Amino acid sequence: MSVAQKYGALAAGAGKRWEERAQKPLLLVGTATCGRAAGALEILRCLKEEVGRRGLEAEVIEVGCMGHCYAEPLVVVAKPGWPAICYGYVTDGIAARLVEDFLLNDDPCLEFVLAALEPNDLVPSFADFPRSRYEHKMVLGRCGLIDPEDITHYIATGGYAALARVLEMAPEEVIALIKASGLRGRGGAGFPTGLKWEACRSAPGNPKYVICNADEGDPGAFMDRTILESNPHGVLEGLIIAAYAVGASQGYVYVRAEYPLAVERVRTALEQAREQGLLGSDVLGSGFSFDVELFQGSGAFVCGEETALIASMEGKPGLPRHRPPFPVHAGLHEKPTVVNNVKTLAYVPLILEKGPEWFTGVGTSRSPGTAVFALAGKIVNTGLAEVPMGTTLRQLVYDVGSGIPKGRKFKAVQIGGPSGGCLPAELLDMPVDFDSLTVAGAMMGSGGMVILDEDDCMVEMARFFLDFTQKESCGKCTFCRLGTRHMLDILTRITKGQGRPEDLDLLQALAEDVKAGSLCGLGKTAPNPVLSTLRYFRDEYEAHIKERRCPALMCQDLIAYYIVPERCERSCNACMGSCPVEAIYTTPDMLKAIDQEKCVKCGSCVDACPPQYRAVIKVSPPEVVADKAEG
Amino acid sequence: MGRTVSLTIDDRTVTATAGERLLWVALDNGIYIPHLCAIKEADPAASCRLCFVEVEGCPRPVTACTEPVRDGMVVRTRSPQIDRLVATGFELLMSVHRLDCAHCPKNRRCELQKIAARRKLKLRPGRLAVIDRNLPVDESHPLYNYDPNKCVLCGRCVWVCRQLARAGVLGFAWRGFERRVTTFEGRPLGEWDCSACGLCVEACPVGALALKEAAR
Ligand SMILES: Cc1cc2nc3c(=O)[nH]c(=O)nc-3n(C[C@H](O)[C@H](O)[C@H](O)COP(=O)(O)O)c2cc1C
Ligand code: FES
């Protein structure tokens, strides 16, 4: 049998199962980590119980994440004769009603609908959401719609067709197609994938290795986790194709052990792919042999850096080393090795299936395709969003993310993870791609995007992110080990109101030198939050240093709580009762006031003061309180 | 390999064997480049970050210990940018180096003093706060003492202990700012069955590993 025939048989079998399944009502529950955190396993249990109790012919299936994490737990009901409808914020009660009212009685419970998956006459669909004008799903395409633990779902929706086609092409042809697509690595640096593969293919040395980098250590980033939890075969297919293109016989998926569900789902995917003859010796009868092992990283941020990652796989301490030699020439066990990010690999089968033009048709000329962002922080729709490269920050924040909650004002977006940069409102109309971000002082990084509003202090933000990179520095090289420490000390001092006028120039100089002098990408990028906030929010630094004032009222040492006498309702004791240290007292004219000596600045009184008074406010610098008392 | 190449370092033409590392070629020709971590026989650790030079055609400074020489290469060991990087790297190291030259066994033979003299740098940090790590000094070994507060983490002692002495007593432990040279489980050096070959002491460019007064 030829490869095509073998694949044809697989696809036919999977297609048949898929068809059979579609005859029954299906209940899809998003049980990726985001869903689980919101209680999806309880919903899953509840749905199964309801269906079982009533002896229904319906199937309850676990799926991954669709990106609407803000509305988890999510359930999709696909009932024959009805559009597939997604329900959000599902509770036990709603779950029970979906079974009772919808499955049994044809009442689709419109009050709980988030949206239908496809446009229809009955209920609004995701396509009607304002964000769908900007979203463009490529690697997230199947996420949340197929069972990640059942390979037939992936195959029935066209999965592994690209591999079957690739196996009948010359490896050089595959590389040429990836080069033509302009695909750039999604691990952060944006290196052209085709060039990387070509270099590895032509490097002398045997065996060769391919590694999928799923270390994803950025706090706030969860796209790689989501993709592995939602569609592991999409990544695996990309890895097999990479191996075929470069001539590797062994591959690895390097997942951090803190992602237990991703680990589990990748393991299952590997087993199932092996059973179907998609891995192992003689893949699909092509004569090409390749297998993949799972490697669990121990969760050091720096181990996401490719040379540190390889060292840790070899059983050595996870420290980066000088490049060159690059892994494509001397990687794992000194052999030519391709390291690619999860998303990079997930694009590969799609590009080979639909052609490079399909890919270059989206995004910008130098950064084709889409970008996946994890939206977090002060934004209404937290979750994943996949948009064409070149989408503006404004579209991302306001149209995809639905803006800032509680009517607060946008201040900045920290983009590219802890070593990205903070970009201000003036740059909201900047189209986002690899190159524009670097010019602006940020970077694509992993695609983490933290939105900050007027209540966030930019000095504190810089300190917070530097605290992370400083802790995650491996300590090998002088600039990163010591430079980040000194920068952190200076920033900490400034947020405590002990900044000195010369601090800003020193901070700037140190940041520039750490960037230029560090051995690996961690140190080369760690100063970005400092440099970008100095560039765009220098006035906030100056307020801290010159006036001991935190404009965002965030730095604990620079604020005080104060009860506005005009707003205080004399007879109400709410604030007093809430104070854990008895710092609030009643003045002779029966108003409440705060003893600043006793106050621990916990903020309980702000929450306790009834919303119609809002008498407790924060002031900065703390001395303002004394002025007010006198004045 | 084996081919002879000719290159220019600070306007001087020198010849070398292709593939040799720039740092050693420069040093062999009497051209000074600050360095602490480099070991000629070993793969470069490139961790001290003091050997920066400018190579024509490279947009950014490169470390001389990792850079193979090429025919026609044009190198500068000094420039405002290089001097600034080296000064900062040196000041960073000095900010955690316990300064006590007068009582230090390495006084006058210390690589840090040499770098300071050659580059006209101050031993005492000017802009940066001094951070004393206050780690316990290990005086348990009969022949030598180890003062981690003076250690610059160049790793030379670790390399000789493993590769030349084949003892493997010394190694790196901890991460980030806490990274240090120590023994397995941090047990005192005196508890180890080390042959007292003294290679580590010889390798130490500063006064962190030093012979006891009686042994000098
Ligand atoms: C400190 C640091 C952390 C990194 N973490 C990751 C990571 O978690 N995942 C990843 O894919 N790449 C990470 N990278 C980038 C990798 O070194 C490497 O460039 C990437 O995996 C290559 O894949 P790509 O070509 O598909 O982008 C990191 C780099 C640095 C410097
Ligand atoms: S000698 Fe080159 S980095 Fe230390």
Side-chain angles (χ1 to χ4, degrees), chain A residues 185-191 193 196 213-218 224 301-302 304-307 323 339-342 344 520-522:
Chain A
R186 272 13 184 209
F191 190 83
T193 306
K196 190 182 268 193
N213 186 347
D215 191 54
E216 194 170 52
D218 290 23
D224 294 356
F301 176 59
V302 76
E305 196 279 338
E306 55 188 16
T307 62
R323 299 178 309 177
V339 181
N340 271 141
N341 171 257
V342 169
T344 314
C520 90
L522 198 160

PDB file of all heavy atoms in Angstrom, chain A residues 185-191 193 196 213-218 224 301-302 304-307 323 339-342 344 520-522, ligand 1:
ATOM      1  N   GLY A 185       9.742  31.820  13.599  1.00  0.00           N
ATOM      2  CA  GLY A 185       9.574  31.107  14.857  1.00  0.00           C
ATOM      3  C   GLY A 185       8.763  31.886  15.873  1.00  0.00           C
ATOM      4  O   GLY A 185       8.973  33.081  16.067  1.00  0.00           O
ATOM      5  N   ARG A 186       7.829  31.202  16.507  1.00  0.00           N
ATOM      6  CA  ARG A 186       6.948  31.857  17.471  1.00  0.00           C
ATOM      7  C   ARG A 186       7.482  31.771  18.898  1.00  0.00           C
ATOM      8  O   ARG A 186       6.791  32.116  19.838  1.00  0.00           O
ATOM      9  CB  ARG A 186       5.572  31.213  17.406  1.00  0.00           C
ATOM     10  CG  ARG A 186       4.532  31.749  16.402  1.00  0.00           C
ATOM     11  CD  ARG A 186       4.997  32.654  15.358  1.00  0.00           C
ATOM     12  NE  ARG A 186       3.902  33.175  14.518  1.00  0.00           N
ATOM     13  CZ  ARG A 186       4.031  33.522  13.256  1.00  0.00           C
ATOM     14  NH1 ARG A 186       5.201  33.395  12.648  1.00  0.00           N
ATOM     15  NH2 ARG A 186       3.020  34.025  12.577  1.00  0.00           N
ATOM     16  N   GLY A 187       8.716  31.269  19.066  1.00  0.00           N
ATOM     17  CA  GLY A 187       9.297  31.176  20.412  1.00  0.00           C
ATOM     18  C   GLY A 187       9.758  32.528  20.926  1.00  0.00           C
ATOM     19  O   GLY A 187      10.177  32.640  22.076  1.00  0.00           O
ATOM     20  N   GLY A 188       9.738  33.525  20.083  1.00  0.00           N
ATOM     21  CA  GLY A 188      10.075  34.860  20.561  1.00  0.00           C
ATOM     22  C   GLY A 188      10.929  35.653  19.599  1.00  0.00           C
ATOM     23  O   GLY A 188      10.663  36.797  19.310  1.00  0.00           O
ATOM     24  N   ALA A 189      11.959  35.001  19.069  1.00  0.00           N
ATOM     25  CA  ALA A 189      12.928  35.766  18.291  1.00  0.00           C
ATOM     26  C   ALA A 189      12.503  35.932  16.833  1.00  0.00           C
ATOM     27  O   ALA A 189      13.018  36.790  16.131  1.00  0.00           O
ATOM     28  CB  ALA A 189      14.290  35.104  18.374  1.00  0.00           C
ATOM     29  N   GLY A 190      11.581  35.096  16.369  1.00  0.00           N
ATOM     30  CA  GLY A 190      11.095  35.253  15.003  1.00  0.00           C
ATOM     31  C   GLY A 190      12.069  34.815  13.936  1.00  0.00           C
ATOM     32  O   GLY A 190      12.078  35.338  12.818  1.00  0.00           O
ATOM     33  N   PHE A 191      12.905  33.822  14.242  1.00  0.00           N
ATOM     34  CA  PHE A 191      13.862  33.344  13.240  1.00  0.00           C
ATOM     35  C   PHE A 191      13.130  32.545  12.161  1.00  0.00           C
ATOM     36  O   PHE A 191      12.258  31.741  12.469  1.00  0.00           O
ATOM     37  CB  PHE A 191      14.920  32.462  13.914  1.00  0.00           C
ATOM     38  CG  PHE A 191      16.069  32.139  13.000  1.00  0.00           C
ATOM     39  CD1 PHE A 191      17.110  33.030  12.832  1.00  0.00           C
ATOM     40  CD2 PHE A 191      16.086  30.943  12.278  1.00  0.00           C
ATOM     41  CE1 PHE A 191      18.154  32.745  11.963  1.00  0.00           C
ATOM     42  CE2 PHE A 191      17.122  30.657  11.406  1.00  0.00           C
ATOM     43  CZ  PHE A 191      18.161  31.560  11.246  1.00  0.00           C
ATOM     44  N   THR A 193      11.810  29.848  10.002  1.00  0.00           N
ATOM     45  CA  THR A 193      11.817  28.404  10.252  1.00  0.00           C
ATOM     46  C   THR A 193      12.437  27.622   9.097  1.00  0.00           C
ATOM     47  O   THR A 193      13.188  26.672   9.309  1.00  0.00           O
ATOM     48  CB  THR A 193      10.374  27.942  10.515  1.00  0.00           C
ATOM     49  OG1 THR A 193       9.839  28.745  11.571  1.00  0.00           O
ATOM     50  CG2 THR A 193      10.310  26.490  10.920  1.00  0.00           C
ATOM     51  N   LYS A 196      16.149  27.679   9.289  1.00  0.00           N
ATOM     52  CA  LYS A 196      16.631  26.846  10.388  1.00  0.00           C
ATOM     53  C   LYS A 196      16.650  25.383   9.953  1.00  0.00           C
ATOM     54  O   LYS A 196      17.635  24.668  10.156  1.00  0.00           O
ATOM     55  CB  LYS A 196      15.706  27.036  11.599  1.00  0.00           C
ATOM     56  CG  LYS A 196      16.226  26.405  12.874  1.00  0.00           C
ATOM     57  CD  LYS A 196      15.235  26.574  14.028  1.00  0.00           C
ATOM     58  CE  LYS A 196      15.488  27.813  14.835  1.00  0.00           C
ATOM     59  NZ  LYS A 196      14.744  27.853  16.117  1.00  0.00           N
ATOM     60  N   ASN A 213       9.724  22.884  21.711  1.00  0.00           N
ATOM     61  CA  ASN A 213       9.935  23.655  22.937  1.00  0.00           C
ATOM     62  C   ASN A 213       8.587  24.072  23.524  1.00  0.00           C
ATOM     63  O   ASN A 213       7.936  24.979  23.027  1.00  0.00           O
ATOM     64  CB  ASN A 213      10.800  24.879  22.618  1.00  0.00           C
ATOM     65  CG  ASN A 213      11.189  25.659  23.865  1.00  0.00           C
ATOM     66  OD1 ASN A 213      10.634  25.452  24.930  1.00  0.00           O
ATOM     67  ND2 ASN A 213      12.155  26.555  23.711  1.00  0.00           N
ATOM     68  N   ALA A 214       8.168  23.346  24.559  1.00  0.00           N
ATOM     69  CA  ALA A 214       6.912  23.681  25.245  1.00  0.00           C
ATOM     70  C   ALA A 214       7.224  24.018  26.687  1.00  0.00           C
ATOM     71  O   ALA A 214       6.528  23.594  27.601  1.00  0.00           O
ATOM     72  CB  ALA A 214       5.926  22.528  25.142  1.00  0.00           C
ATOM     73  N   ASP A 215       8.293  24.780  26.878  1.00  0.00           N
ATOM     74  CA  ASP A 215       8.684  25.103  28.250  1.00  0.00           C
ATOM     75  C   ASP A 215       7.839  26.257  28.784  1.00  0.00           C
ATOM     76  O   ASP A 215       7.548  26.324  29.969  1.00  0.00           O
ATOM     77  CB  ASP A 215      10.175  25.466  28.323  1.00  0.00           C
ATOM     78  CG  ASP A 215      10.646  25.539  29.757  1.00  0.00           C
ATOM     79  OD1 ASP A 215      10.432  24.549  30.474  1.00  0.00           O
ATOM     80  OD2 ASP A 215      11.199  26.563  30.173  1.00  0.00           O
ATOM     81  N   GLU A 216       7.456  27.135  27.908  1.00  0.00           N
ATOM     82  CA  GLU A 216       6.573  28.274  28.224  1.00  0.00           C
ATOM     83  C   GLU A 216       6.658  28.753  29.665  1.00  0.00           C
ATOM     84  O   GLU A 216       5.792  28.454  30.488  1.00  0.00           O
ATOM     85  CB  GLU A 216       5.122  27.937  27.878  1.00  0.00           C
ATOM     86  CG  GLU A 216       4.245  29.176  27.853  1.00  0.00           C
ATOM     87  CD  GLU A 216       2.864  28.894  27.275  1.00  0.00           C
ATOM     88  OE1 GLU A 216       2.191  27.964  27.735  1.00  0.00           O
ATOM     89  OE2 GLU A 216       2.487  29.594  26.331  1.00  0.00           O
ATOM     90  N   GLY A 217       7.705  29.489  29.952  1.00  0.00           N
ATOM     91  CA  GLY A 217       7.919  29.920  31.329  1.00  0.00           C
ATOM     92  C   GLY A 217       7.430  31.312  31.647  1.00  0.00           C
ATOM     93  O   GLY A 217       7.473  31.724  32.802  1.00  0.00           O
ATOM     94  N   ASP A 218       6.965  32.055  30.660  1.00  0.00           N
ATOM     95  CA  ASP A 218       6.525  33.420  30.922  1.00  0.00           C
ATOM     96  C   ASP A 218       5.316  33.420  31.837  1.00  0.00           C
ATOM     97  O   ASP A 218       4.317  32.781  31.515  1.00  0.00           O
ATOM     98  CB  ASP A 218       6.108  34.114  29.618  1.00  0.00           C
ATOM     99  CG  ASP A 218       7.285  34.403  28.733  1.00  0.00           C
ATOM    100  OD1 ASP A 218       8.311  33.718  28.881  1.00  0.00           O
ATOM    101  OD2 ASP A 218       7.165  35.302  27.891  1.00  0.00           O
ATOM    102  N   ASP A 224       0.836  28.061  24.588  1.00  0.00           N
ATOM    103  CA  ASP A 224       1.406  26.763  24.243  1.00  0.00           C
ATOM    104  C   ASP A 224       0.720  25.658  25.048  1.00  0.00           C
ATOM    105  O   ASP A 224       0.414  24.589  24.526  1.00  0.00           O
ATOM    106  CB  ASP A 224       2.919  26.747  24.516  1.00  0.00           C
ATOM    107  CG  ASP A 224       3.658  27.707  23.599  1.00  0.00           C
ATOM    108  OD1 ASP A 224       2.995  28.314  22.726  1.00  0.00           O
ATOM    109  OD2 ASP A 224       4.879  27.858  23.738  1.00  0.00           O
ATOM    110  N   PHE A 301      12.636  29.135  34.101  1.00  0.00           N
ATOM    111  CA  PHE A 301      12.365  30.004  32.956  1.00  0.00           C
ATOM    112  C   PHE A 301      13.490  29.916  31.930  1.00  0.00           C
ATOM    113  O   PHE A 301      13.252  29.816  30.726  1.00  0.00           O
ATOM    114  CB  PHE A 301      12.201  31.430  33.478  1.00  0.00           C
ATOM    115  CG  PHE A 301      12.010  32.471  32.416  1.00  0.00           C
ATOM    116  CD1 PHE A 301      10.948  32.398  31.534  1.00  0.00           C
ATOM    117  CD2 PHE A 301      12.887  33.535  32.304  1.00  0.00           C
ATOM    118  CE1 PHE A 301      10.762  33.365  30.565  1.00  0.00           C
ATOM    119  CE2 PHE A 301      12.707  34.510  31.336  1.00  0.00           C
ATOM    120  CZ  PHE A 301      11.647  34.422  30.471  1.00  0.00           C
ATOM    121  N   VAL A 302      14.719  29.914  32.417  1.00  0.00           N
ATOM    122  CA  VAL A 302      15.859  29.969  31.503  1.00  0.00           C
ATOM    123  C   VAL A 302      15.963  28.683  30.687  1.00  0.00           C
ATOM    124  O   VAL A 302      16.571  28.657  29.610  1.00  0.00           O
ATOM    125  CB  VAL A 302      17.164  30.272  32.268  1.00  0.00           C
ATOM    126  CG1 VAL A 302      17.674  29.061  33.016  1.00  0.00           C
ATOM    127  CG2 VAL A 302      18.234  30.817  31.328  1.00  0.00           C
ATOM    128  N   GLY A 304      13.840  27.476  28.923  1.00  0.00           N
ATOM    129  CA  GLY A 304      13.177  27.665  27.645  1.00  0.00           C
ATOM    130  C   GLY A 304      14.160  28.128  26.586  1.00  0.00           C
ATOM    131  O   GLY A 304      13.920  28.001  25.395  1.00  0.00           O
ATOM    132  N   GLU A 305      15.282  28.678  27.016  1.00  0.00           N
ATOM    133  CA  GLU A 305      16.333  29.100  26.085  1.00  0.00           C
ATOM    134  C   GLU A 305      16.944  27.832  25.518  1.00  0.00           C
ATOM    135  O   GLU A 305      17.261  26.895  26.251  1.00  0.00           O
ATOM    136  CB  GLU A 305      17.377  29.941  26.837  1.00  0.00           C
ATOM    137  CG  GLU A 305      18.284  30.740  25.946  1.00  0.00           C
ATOM    138  CD  GLU A 305      19.448  29.955  25.348  1.00  0.00           C
ATOM    139  OE1 GLU A 305      19.812  28.907  25.912  1.00  0.00           O
ATOM    140  OE2 GLU A 305      19.974  30.361  24.320  1.00  0.00           O
ATOM    141  N   GLU A 306      17.105  27.803  24.202  1.00  0.00           N
ATOM    142  CA  GLU A 306      17.371  26.510  23.555  1.00  0.00           C
ATOM    143  C   GLU A 306      18.645  25.815  24.024  1.00  0.00           C
ATOM    144  O   GLU A 306      18.649  24.589  24.185  1.00  0.00           O
ATOM    145  CB  GLU A 306      17.352  26.660  22.038  1.00  0.00           C
ATOM    146  CG  GLU A 306      18.308  27.726  21.487  1.00  0.00           C
ATOM    147  CD  GLU A 306      18.093  27.956  19.993  1.00  0.00           C
ATOM    148  OE1 GLU A 306      17.048  27.539  19.463  1.00  0.00           O
ATOM    149  OE2 GLU A 306      18.984  28.550  19.365  1.00  0.00           O
ATOM    150  N   THR A 307      19.726  26.547  24.286  1.00  0.00           N
ATOM    151  CA  THR A 307      20.947  25.841  24.690  1.00  0.00           C
ATOM    152  C   THR A 307      20.828  25.336  26.129  1.00  0.00           C
ATOM    153  O   THR A 307      21.358  24.279  26.471  1.00  0.00           O
ATOM    154  CB  THR A 307      22.203  26.732  24.544  1.00  0.00           C
ATOM    155  OG1 THR A 307      22.075  27.863  25.397  1.00  0.00           O
ATOM    156  CG2 THR A 307      22.412  27.189  23.120  1.00  0.00           C
ATOM    157  N   ARG A 323      26.481  31.017  21.844  1.00  0.00           N
ATOM    158  CA  ARG A 323      26.206  30.552  20.493  1.00  0.00           C
ATOM    159  C   ARG A 323      26.943  31.481  19.544  1.00  0.00           C
ATOM    160  O   ARG A 323      26.899  32.697  19.798  1.00  0.00           O
ATOM    161  CB  ARG A 323      24.709  30.625  20.163  1.00  0.00           C
ATOM    162  CG  ARG A 323      23.839  29.776  21.044  1.00  0.00           C
ATOM    163  CD  ARG A 323      22.377  29.946  20.680  1.00  0.00           C
ATOM    164  NE  ARG A 323      21.988  31.355  20.627  1.00  0.00           N
ATOM    165  CZ  ARG A 323      20.784  31.783  20.276  1.00  0.00           C
ATOM    166  NH1 ARG A 323      19.858  30.951  19.922  1.00  0.00           N
ATOM    167  NH2 ARG A 323      20.489  33.063  20.248  1.00  0.00           N
ATOM    168  N   VAL A 339      15.294  23.215  17.243  1.00  0.00           N
ATOM    169  CA  VAL A 339      14.391  23.501  18.358  1.00  0.00           C
ATOM    170  C   VAL A 339      13.341  24.466  17.829  1.00  0.00           C
ATOM    171  O   VAL A 339      13.674  25.528  17.319  1.00  0.00           O
ATOM    172  CB  VAL A 339      15.127  24.146  19.548  1.00  0.00           C
ATOM    173  CG1 VAL A 339      14.166  24.398  20.702  1.00  0.00           C
ATOM    174  CG2 VAL A 339      16.285  23.287  20.001  1.00  0.00           C
ATOM    175  N   ASN A 340      12.088  24.058  17.912  1.00  0.00           N
ATOM    176  CA  ASN A 340      10.994  24.929  17.480  1.00  0.00           C
ATOM    177  C   ASN A 340       9.931  25.031  18.559  1.00  0.00           C
ATOM    178  O   ASN A 340       9.666  24.072  19.289  1.00  0.00           O
ATOM    179  CB  ASN A 340      10.331  24.405  16.194  1.00  0.00           C
ATOM    180  CG  ASN A 340      10.979  24.933  14.930  1.00  0.00           C
ATOM    181  OD1 ASN A 340      11.119  24.204  13.949  1.00  0.00           O
ATOM    182  ND2 ASN A 340      11.381  26.187  14.927  1.00  0.00           N
ATOM    183  N   ASN A 341       9.311  26.169  18.583  1.00  0.00           N
ATOM    184  CA  ASN A 341       8.240  26.426  19.535  1.00  0.00           C
ATOM    185  C   ASN A 341       6.968  25.651  19.144  1.00  0.00           C
ATOM    186  O   ASN A 341       6.771  25.290  17.983  1.00  0.00           O
ATOM    187  CB  ASN A 341       7.976  27.943  19.525  1.00  0.00           C
ATOM    188  CG  ASN A 341       6.749  28.309  20.319  1.00  0.00           C
ATOM    189  OD1 ASN A 341       5.688  28.580  19.758  1.00  0.00           O
ATOM    190  ND2 ASN A 341       6.887  28.302  21.617  1.00  0.00           N
ATOM    191  N   VAL A 342       6.106  25.435  20.118  1.00  0.00           N
ATOM    192  CA  VAL A 342       4.827  24.742  19.919  1.00  0.00           C
ATOM    193  C   VAL A 342       4.024  25.354  18.776  1.00  0.00           C
ATOM    194  O   VAL A 342       3.563  24.657  17.860  1.00  0.00           O
ATOM    195  CB  VAL A 342       3.981  24.810  21.221  1.00  0.00           C
ATOM    196  CG1 VAL A 342       2.555  24.344  20.981  1.00  0.00           C
ATOM    197  CG2 VAL A 342       4.637  24.000  22.323  1.00  0.00           C
ATOM    198  N   THR A 344       4.987  27.419  16.361  1.00  0.00           N
ATOM    199  CA  THR A 344       5.679  27.315  15.075  1.00  0.00           C
ATOM    200  C   THR A 344       5.324  25.978  14.428  1.00  0.00           C
ATOM    201  O   THR A 344       4.952  25.916  13.252  1.00  0.00           O
ATOM    202  CB  THR A 344       7.203  27.372  15.287  1.00  0.00           C
ATOM    203  OG1 THR A 344       7.516  28.435  16.171  1.00  0.00           O
ATOM    204  CG2 THR A 344       7.931  27.560  13.974  1.00  0.00           C
ATOM    205  N   CYS A 520      23.047  35.372  27.376  1.00  0.00           N
ATOM    206  CA  CYS A 520      21.905  34.772  26.668  1.00  0.00           C
ATOM    207  C   CYS A 520      20.746  35.740  26.597  1.00  0.00           C
ATOM    208  O   CYS A 520      20.777  36.842  27.137  1.00  0.00           O
ATOM    209  CB  CYS A 520      21.479  33.457  27.308  1.00  0.00           C
ATOM    210  SG  CYS A 520      20.240  33.615  28.607  1.00  0.00           S
ATOM    211  N   GLY A 521      19.704  35.285  25.935  1.00  0.00           N
ATOM    212  CA  GLY A 521      18.528  36.113  25.717  1.00  0.00           C
ATOM    213  C   GLY A 521      17.873  36.601  26.993  1.00  0.00           C
ATOM    214  O   GLY A 521      17.229  37.645  26.992  1.00  0.00           O
ATOM    215  N   LEU A 522      18.027  35.865  28.080  1.00  0.00           N
ATOM    216  CA  LEU A 522      17.379  36.311  29.319  1.00  0.00           C
ATOM    217  C   LEU A 522      17.952  37.658  29.749  1.00  0.00           C
ATOM    218  O   LEU A 522      17.218  38.616  29.965  1.00  0.00           O
ATOM    219  CB  LEU A 522      17.552  35.259  30.415  1.00  0.00           C
ATOM    220  CG  LEU A 522      16.590  35.361  31.605  1.00  0.00           C
ATOM    221  CD1 LEU A 522      16.513  34.037  32.343  1.00  0.00           C
ATOM    222  CD2 LEU A 522      16.985  36.442  32.574  1.00  0.00           C
TER     223      LEU A 522
HETATM  224  C1  LIG C   1      15.172  33.196  28.707  1.00  0.00           C
HETATM  225  C2  LIG C   1      14.563  32.580  27.488  1.00  0.00           C
HETATM  226  C3  LIG C   1      13.414  31.810  27.601  1.00  0.00           C
HETATM  227  C4  LIG C   1      12.856  31.215  26.492  1.00  0.00           C
HETATM  228  N1  LIG C   1      11.721  30.483  26.661  1.00  0.00           N
HETATM  229  C5  LIG C   1      11.156  29.904  25.587  1.00  0.00           C
HETATM  230  C6  LIG C   1       9.964  29.132  25.738  1.00  0.00           C
HETATM  231  O1  LIG C   1       9.435  28.972  26.830  1.00  0.00           O
HETATM  232  N2  LIG C   1       9.424  28.559  24.629  1.00  0.00           N
HETATM  233  C7  LIG C   1       9.993  28.722  23.391  1.00  0.00           C
HETATM  234  O2  LIG C   1       9.477  28.173  22.435  1.00  0.00           O
HETATM  235  N3  LIG C   1      11.097  29.451  23.218  1.00  0.00           N
HETATM  236  C8  LIG C   1      11.698  30.044  24.286  1.00  0.00           C
HETATM  237  N4  LIG C   1      12.844  30.774  24.098  1.00  0.00           N
HETATM  238  C9  LIG C   1      13.405  30.876  22.734  1.00  0.00           C
HETATM  239  C10 LIG C   1      14.247  29.658  22.408  1.00  0.00           C
HETATM  240  O3  LIG C   1      15.589  29.910  22.797  1.00  0.00           O
HETATM  241  C11 LIG C   1      14.267  29.357  20.926  1.00  0.00           C
HETATM  242  O4  LIG C   1      14.647  30.506  20.251  1.00  0.00           O
HETATM  243  C12 LIG C   1      12.946  28.904  20.371  1.00  0.00           C
HETATM  244  O5  LIG C   1      12.470  27.795  21.052  1.00  0.00           O
HETATM  245  C13 LIG C   1      13.127  28.564  18.911  1.00  0.00           C
HETATM  246  O6  LIG C   1      11.912  28.203  18.350  1.00  0.00           O
HETATM  247  P1  LIG C   1      11.257  29.001  17.130  1.00  0.00           P
HETATM  248  O7  LIG C   1      12.291  29.137  16.074  1.00  0.00           O
HETATM  249  O8  LIG C   1      10.121  28.150  16.718  1.00  0.00           O
HETATM  250  O9  LIG C   1      10.843  30.321  17.670  1.00  0.00           O
HETATM  251  C14 LIG C   1      13.436  31.387  25.212  1.00  0.00           C
HETATM  252  C15 LIG C   1      14.566  32.181  25.090  1.00  0.00           C
HETATM  253  C16 LIG C   1      15.137  32.772  26.199  1.00  0.00           C
HETATM  254  C17 LIG C   1      16.348  33.598  26.031  1.00  0.00           C
END
